[in-house]
Amino acid sequence: NSIEINPHNQFYKLELIINGNNNLISIDEGCWGSLKIIIDTDNTIVRIGKKCAFRGLECGLWEKGSSLIIGDEVMAAKDSRMYVSDFHAIVDIESMEAVNQGRNITIGNHVWLGERAMVLKNNRIADDVIVAAGSVVTKDLNESHTIYAGNPAKAVKHGMTWFEDKYDIYQAKRSLQSGSNSD
């Protein structure tokens, strides 16, 4: 197994549980918060980009060769989840074949997962997306600048982005900028 964590991070809780071989976990610089990664298989890849904020994200990989790729500037609120596999097999009774293989999750840049949002296996989220609190991602979310909400998550508002500043702070900065532009 290989674990590469840039020293310029500030995790107050980082939990890595690995039960397997030939797995890679890579965390780039500027990340912070509370993150738990569970790997219970072999040959997986977890890559986390720059400047990500985790307030209690749990990630799970239970199938050989699966991957979790998280872009830059991703924010995941408390009790959010990313599960690359189902943990147990779902089997077709006629063929006795397992039908629920987990392969990957890919999260684009500048994505915000609200509290208790869940991203399930084999899905991709485009850049600059907001996933509302309590939403469940069961298919690709392909439209940037969009808020997705519900179970399953569906587009509810277009032409949106987000900033890490709280509402009041963002509005105050915006007022100062517009005041200085009116001169």
Side-chain angles (χ1 to χ4, degrees):
N1 295 307
S2 177
I3 299 172
E4 304 165 357
I5 301 174
N6 187 291
H8 298 100
N9 290 305
Q10 295 183 347
F11 289 101
Y12 55 84
K13 182 177 181 186
L14 178 59
E15 189 175 357
L16 306 176
I17 301 169
I18 303 171
N19 181 25
N21 296 298
N22 198 35
N23 296 291
L24 168 67
I25 297 174
S26 173
I27 302 174
D28 212 331
E29 67 183 344
C31 298
W32 65 273
S34 174
L35 173 64
K36 179 178 185 178
I37 300 171
I38 305 163
I39 298 174
D40 191 15
T41 188
D42 301 323
N43 305 314
T44 65
I45 296 172
V46 176
R47 290 193 192 279
I48 298 173
K50 296 178 174 129
K51 298 181 183 177
C52 293
F54 305 114
R55 300 216 182 245
L57 173 63
E58 179 177 294
C59 305
L61 297 91
W62 293 281
E63 293 186 38
K64 189 180 286 188
S66 55
S67 68
L68 172 61
I69 310 299
I70 298 174
D72 296 337
E73 298 179 354
V74 170
M75 186 165 63
K78 189 170 106 180
D79 296 327
S80 50
R81 305 281 184 260
M82 295 182 192
Y83 293 139
V84 178
S85 41
D86 290 330
F87 192 73
H88 297 289
I90 297 175
V91 178
D92 178 278
I93 292 175
E94 278 189 37
S95 68
M96 294 308 292
E97 291 288 325
V99 296
N100 63 323
Q101 182 179 16
R103 292 179 195 89
N104 57 58
I105 291 174
T106 302
I107 309 295
N109 298 316
H110 200 253
V111 170
W112 176 15
L113 297 179
E115 188 166 331
R116 292 193 175 107
M118 183 178 294
V119 181
L120 300 179
K121 70 180 187 298
N122 303 331
N123 289 298
R124 180 187 170 283
I125 298 178
D127 293 342
D128 209 348
V129 162
I130 299 166
V131 179
S135 298
V136 180
V137 177
T138 61
K139 63 180 182 180
D140 290 353
L141 306 182
N142 293 319
E143 295 178 63
S144 294
H145 307 290
T146 300
I147 298 175
Y148 290 87
N151 182 4
K154 294 182 176 146
V156 295
K157 190 153 181 109
H158 302 279
M160 306 302 291
T161 192
W162 63 273
F163 291 88
E164 197 169 346
D165 289 333
K166 293 176 181 70
Y167 174 86
D168 292 339
I169 293 169
Y170 174 80
Q171 288 296 82
K173 286 179 180 176
R174 192 167 172 263
S175 275
L176 285 173
Q177 289 173 347
S178 63
S180 66
N181 289 341
S182 63
D183 293 336

